[in-house]
Amino acid sequence: MERQEFLSAYLAHEAQITHIYECAAQIHADVNQHYGGDLPYAFHLKLAASYVTRFGHLVINDVAEIQTLYAAIYFHDSLEDARLTYNDLTKVFQKLNAEGCNINVEVATEAVYALTNDKGRTRAERAGDKYYEGIRNTRFAPFLKMCDRLANLRYSTLFGIKSRMAEVYEREHPHFIASIGSVPAEMIAEAERYFTEGLSLPKA
């Protein structure tokens, strides 16, 4: 899809996409979840969705899928962090559709489920081989995971000093890209650009 067609579709669906965002933001606010310490978690949701807006034209061919894509990114942490179950999320998407949205409930819910970390004591255990296999085998999940990673990378370099997490993401990058499946080359290049931004903190 041409980028201008995607952006035109976004504007045509903006009211519904905004409604989806507001519902997701409220669900995270209800469990008092924050991002980066003091920011509302809605900040992360908006940041992740900005990459859907920027790169979404590379992964969909039908404008009817645009609300599904935004629903999945806005709710991508809802099972992991906002105490929803798979069935809860299905009902949320069904309710949004009853209120005028056009979400493919199965596709969006499966994508969110695939992005939900496994149980584990360490970061590596929570994102092991089974986790990445689920992402690779689920529609839109590789793209959405890349949007999530880009949002975290952007935040980790936001103030001109690379945070500790920026260094973690840089170390993980080769394995991460090899594991998540096919994503647009433009998104990989964007991630690698963040590794060169800002100053690294001195080693402890």
Side-chain angles (χ1 to χ4, degrees):
M1 178 183 295
E2 295 295 326
R3 187 162 191 265
Q4 189 55 51
E5 183 182 3
F6 183 93
L7 295 177
S8 295
Y10 174 87
L11 292 174
H13 294 258
E14 187 173 18
Q16 294 91 341
I17 291 169
T18 298
H19 184 43
I20 294 166
Y21 158 72
E22 290 171 346
C23 180
Q26 187 60 55
I27 283 171
H28 284 279
D30 286 346
V31 296
N32 199 32
Q33 187 184 10
H34 293 83
Y35 182 74
D38 298 323
L39 292 169
Y41 205 74
F43 177 91
H44 173 64
L45 302 182
K46 277 285 194 181
L47 197 54
S50 75
Y51 292 100
V52 172
T53 305
R54 184 169 172 183
F55 297 110
H57 66 288
L58 299 172
V59 297
I60 67 169
N61 296 313
D62 185 347
V63 296
E65 296 180 315
I66 195 166
Q67 291 187 44
T68 300
L69 205 58
Y70 279 96
I73 197 63
Y74 282 136
F75 282 86
H76 74 275
D77 280 332
S78 61
L79 302 185
E80 186 173 318
D81 296 322
R83 303 174 190 166
L84 296 190
T85 66
Y86 185 97
N87 287 336
D88 290 337
L89 184 58
T90 296
K91 291 175 183 176
V92 169
F93 288 152
Q94 289 171 340
K95 181 175 184 291
L96 285 166
N97 282 347
E99 293 167 348
C101 295
N102 182 28
I103 301 165
N104 184 317
V105 174
E106 181 180 1
V107 170
T109 309
E110 284 294 316
V112 173
Y113 181 74
L115 296 178
T116 303
N117 277 153
D118 293 332
K119 186 176 180 180
R121 295 180 182 84
T122 66
R123 184 175 174 86
E125 287 181 359
R126 292 189 295 273
D129 291 343
K130 183 179 177 182
Y131 171 70
Y132 283 116
E133 181 182 2
I135 289 176
R136 291 193 300 272
N137 292 332
T138 303
R139 191 161 183 237
F140 294 141
F143 170 76
L144 295 164
K145 182 63 181 176
M146 195 70 196
C147 289
D148 179 42
R149 178 56 59 100
L150 286 170
N152 288 328
L153 275 168
R154 181 70 187 100
Y155 181 74
S156 71
T157 60
L158 191 60
F159 303 108
I161 299 291
K162 290 197 291 186
S163 72
R164 300 288 185 194
M165 282 309 301
E167 296 178 355
V168 171
Y169 298 139
E170 188 168 6
R171 287 196 303 271
E172 290 178 346
H173 184 68
H175 178 261
F176 176 79
I177 294 301
S179 299
I180 64 168
S182 178
V183 295
E186 294 91 332
M187 299 179 81
I188 297 173
E190 180 72 2
E192 291 170 352
R193 182 176 70 82
Y194 288 128
F195 299 144
T196 64
E197 284 194 353
L199 300 172
S200 296
L201 291 169
K203 303 296 182 183

